[in-house]
Amino acid sequence: MNDQGVYHGKPPFFKRVGNWFKNLPGRLNAWVRSVGAKFARIPKKAADKGREIVSSPKPVKASMCLMGIGQMMQKQIVKGILFLLMFAAYIVYMVLAGGRAIYDFFSLGIVTANPWLGIEGDDSVIMMLLGILAFIITGLFLAVHLANIRDARRTYEFVSRGNPAPGIGKSIAGMFDKYFYVTALVLPVVGVLIFNILPIIFMVFLAFTDYGGNIVESGALVSWIGFDNFAMLFGAKGLGSTFVKILGWNVLWAVMSTFLNYFGGLGIALLLNKKIVKGKRFWRAFPVLAYAVPGFITLLAFKFMFSNQGPINYYIELFGGTGKLFFGIDSRWSARLIGWLVNGWLSIPSSMLLATGILANMNTDLYEAARIDGASPWKQFIKITLPFVIFATTPVLIGQFMGNFNNFGVFFFLRGGLYCDGYFLASDTDLLINWLYNLSISKNYYSIGAAISIIIFVIAAAISIFVYVKSPSYNKEDMYR
């Protein structure tokens, strides 16, 4: 019998992984060809844009050359003057400070400080910061300039249909009516650019300099060094060896912590959802009380419990055993296991509360139908409960993974300040975020710390996006509506 088109279920996991790698060359080839096709279309797009500019009306061409002139040509005097003033303000800024800031950004200073001769010298870090700010201001100016051109084009099209040119009052009314979303977002966008984007860009550029160590202490000039910091991190010795070890442990820690916390909370929620369990309110409140205690207090309490003179060692010796160094220099796996335990104690309650709310909205008719069909409790969990819960909590699950990947507090409070042999300024339980702290805050290796930050972002973002794209929340949204 021909069974073509009949669904036989998913292939085994390892077969799917093998097929993914088997098809990888074909996907890469298709991606390269798509990129090549996009580049091949660039000349045509540039030619079309050139013809569009040439054929533009005079007011639009005037606005391209000088902000506000196109509006003035169409009798929008006040609006044209406002655009012209913004243009003048940018020119004044570039002449007085912006141009110098951009030049200093590339040079990072030329005068070295000399306290003996009373020479103050250039501050490379401030120059970099002011240069980035000048680029951001230039980007904002270009955005306003494009808005000026679009406004001139819209006004021309409006007037060409026989309408009078809108006055300043009507333009302001349009800003708070039709284009209110743009008006409302101007200040938040500027704030995000200055207080969020600027520090991030500064950190990214810092990764390509030699800022750190003796340069910080002596006040010497900073230089651009390209990808040297990344080369050291991916090298075979020193920083490279430490980076590879910590990265492997960091990924293992994040995956296992997310798995334990998520399924630990789901397991408790399923247990408390059973009708035979008595005192559900008490058992649900107990984890919440543990969750309500500040995390650093819980971490310090666990550190004391497992310390050399703590209660755990006290009872071990009381029953005739030998005390353990749970956080000693050679206690790699005992410290890691305690870290998973403590992190679970802190995180499982939140997963339990989340799963409890989701389970309360489950359709009980599905379980009744599954029992009639003879499905075991395990089959019901795998086929009904787990897919629904994962679909509803995938964004939270990804957030938990990100939080665990960058979990600074657990090993900082449990084992902070300990350096192990074979590691550069780190221990065998430190995560990348802890190592970043040791390098940048404790030892002033700011440029290497910035490079590690970029790598952390790339790895965590890549894993999170991959998991989300492959999850039912992305692929099977209509199924659970």
Side-chain angles (χ1 to χ4, degrees):
M1 179 179 177
N2 185 11
D3 61 350
Q4 186 177 2
V6 178
Y7 179 69
H8 297 286
K10 282 186 176 181
F13 172 75
F14 290 104
K15 186 174 181 179
R16 296 202 307 271
V17 173
N19 290 335
W20 188 87
F21 282 103
K22 181 180 179 181
N23 298 328
L24 184 60
R27 288 198 298 271
L28 287 176
N29 185 34
W31 178 78
V32 170
R33 282 189 293 180
S34 66
V35 172
K38 289 180 180 179
F39 277 103
R41 290 194 293 267
I42 289 178
K44 183 179 182 300
K45 289 183 177 179
D48 292 340
K49 182 61 69 174
R51 284 192 293 268
E52 181 183 345
I53 293 174
V54 171
S55 61
S56 296
K58 289 183 179 180
V60 178
K61 291 180 180 179
S63 289
M64 292 179 186
C65 298
L66 187 62
M67 285 173 55
I69 299 300
Q71 284 77 8
M72 292 181 182
M73 291 174 62
Q74 301 179 91
K75 300 180 182 180
Q76 292 183 308
I77 305 301
V78 177
K79 185 191 290 187
I81 291 174
L82 292 175
F83 275 121
L84 193 59
L85 287 175
M86 285 188 281
F87 180 82
Y90 175 73
I91 296 299
V92 170
Y93 164 74
M94 291 301 293
V95 171
L96 297 180
R100 181 67 186 181
I102 292 177
Y103 172 80
D104 290 339
F105 172 82
F106 291 102
S107 67
L108 294 181
I110 55 176
V111 179
T112 305
N114 191 329
W116 294 100
L117 300 178
I119 300 175
E120 186 174 342
D122 293 327
D123 192 330
S124 300
V125 175
I126 298 298
M127 288 179 172
M128 183 188 299
L129 193 61
L130 293 177
I132 296 171
L133 182 61
F135 282 117
I136 291 177
I137 292 174
T138 300
L140 290 173
F141 166 76
L142 292 176
V144 173
H145 190 47
L146 291 175
N148 147 73
I149 297 172
R150 286 194 297 267
D151 179 76
R153 186 180 295 277
R154 281 196 302 266
T155 302
Y156 178 83
E157 293 173 353
F158 184 77
V159 172
S160 63
R161 291 194 294 267
N163 301 306
I168 186 63
K170 192 172 182 179
S171 297
I172 293 176
M175 290 173 58
F176 289 94
D177 184 14
K178 185 177 180 181
Y179 300 102
F180 176 74
Y181 66 97
V182 177
T183 306
L185 288 175
V186 168
L187 286 179
V189 167
V190 172
V192 167
L193 285 173
I194 295 176
F195 298 107
N196 293 88
I197 304 300
L198 177 60
I200 293 174
I201 296 175
F202 174 75
M203 182 272 296
V204 170
F205 281 119
L206 201 64
F208 299 93
T209 68
D210 58 357
Y211 183 59
N214 294 330
I215 292 179
V216 177
E217 298 171 0
S218 63
L221 294 176
V222 178
S223 301
W224 296 105
I225 60 172
F227 291 90
D228 288 0
N229 290 321
F230 296 92
M232 285 191 290
L233 289 175
F234 289 99
K237 298 180 180 179
L239 285 172
S241 174
T242 302
F243 173 74
V244 172
K245 293 177 184 177
I246 295 179
L247 176 60
W249 157 237
N250 204 149
V251 173
L252 175 63
W253 158 265
V255 172
M256 288 299 298
S257 295
T258 306
F259 179 85
L260 293 173
N261 298 343
Y262 185 80
F263 285 99
L266 178 59
I268 295 176
L270 288 170
L271 180 63
L272 296 179
N273 208 37
K274 297 294 183 181
K275 296 181 179 180
I276 60 173
V277 177
K278 305 298 181 182
K280 292 183 180 181
R281 292 184 179 179
F282 170 78
W283 294 114
R284 285 195 177 115
F286 181 74
V288 175
L289 293 175
Y291 179 65
V293 176
F296 78 94
I297 294 178
T298 302
L299 291 169
L300 292 176
F302 272 94
K303 182 176 182 179
F304 169 72
M305 288 172 58
F306 288 96
S307 64
N308 298 344
Q309 305 300 324
I312 303 297
N313 271 323
Y314 170 79
Y315 284 108
I316 290 176
E317 294 174 357
L318 183 65
F319 289 100
T322 304
K324 306 288 185 181
L325 292 175
F326 291 102
F327 299 124
I329 193 77
D330 297 321
S331 304
R332 172 186 301 183
W333 284 106
S334 65
R336 290 180 175 181
L337 290 173
I338 293 171
W340 274 314
L341 169 67
V342 177
N343 191 50
W345 179 268
L346 292 172
S347 303
I348 285 177
S350 61
S351 298
M352 182 207 73
L353 293 174
L354 179 66
T356 300
I358 294 171
L359 292 174
N361 295 317
M362 290 286 294
N363 187 354
T364 56
D365 294 339
L366 295 175
Y367 294 98
E368 185 66 27
R371 282 192 291 269
I372 293 174
D373 290 340
S376 64
W378 175 250
K379 276 289 185 182
Q380 295 176 35
F381 173 75
I382 293 296
K383 297 296 184 180
I384 300 176
T385 305
L386 188 60
F388 184 81
V389 173
I390 290 181
F391 170 81
T393 60
T394 295
V396 178
L397 187 61
I398 293 173
Q400 287 184 353
F401 174 81
M402 295 286 285
N404 287 320
F405 195 90
N406 295 308
N407 195 327
F408 175 79
V410 171
F411 292 108
F412 177 79
F413 286 103
L414 293 180
R415 212 169 176 232
L418 181 67
Y419 299 151
C420 295
D421 293 338
Y423 289 79
F424 181 77
L425 298 178
S427 70
D428 47 24
T429 53
D430 279 340
L431 305 179
L432 287 173
I433 192 71
N434 299 110
W435 191 39
L436 167 62
Y437 178 85
N438 294 337
L439 289 171
S440 57
I441 305 301
S442 300
K443 300 298 180 181
N444 295 333
Y445 291 107
Y446 294 110
S447 58
I448 297 175
I452 295 173
S453 298
I454 295 175
I455 295 171
I456 290 175
F457 167 76
V458 171
I459 293 174
I463 294 176
S464 300
I465 293 173
F466 177 81
V467 171
Y468 180 68
V469 169
K470 294 296 183 180
S471 69
S473 296
Y474 182 85
N475 293 317
K476 301 178 181 179
E477 183 177 356
D478 296 334
M479 181 181 296
Y480 293 93
R481 286 182 175 177

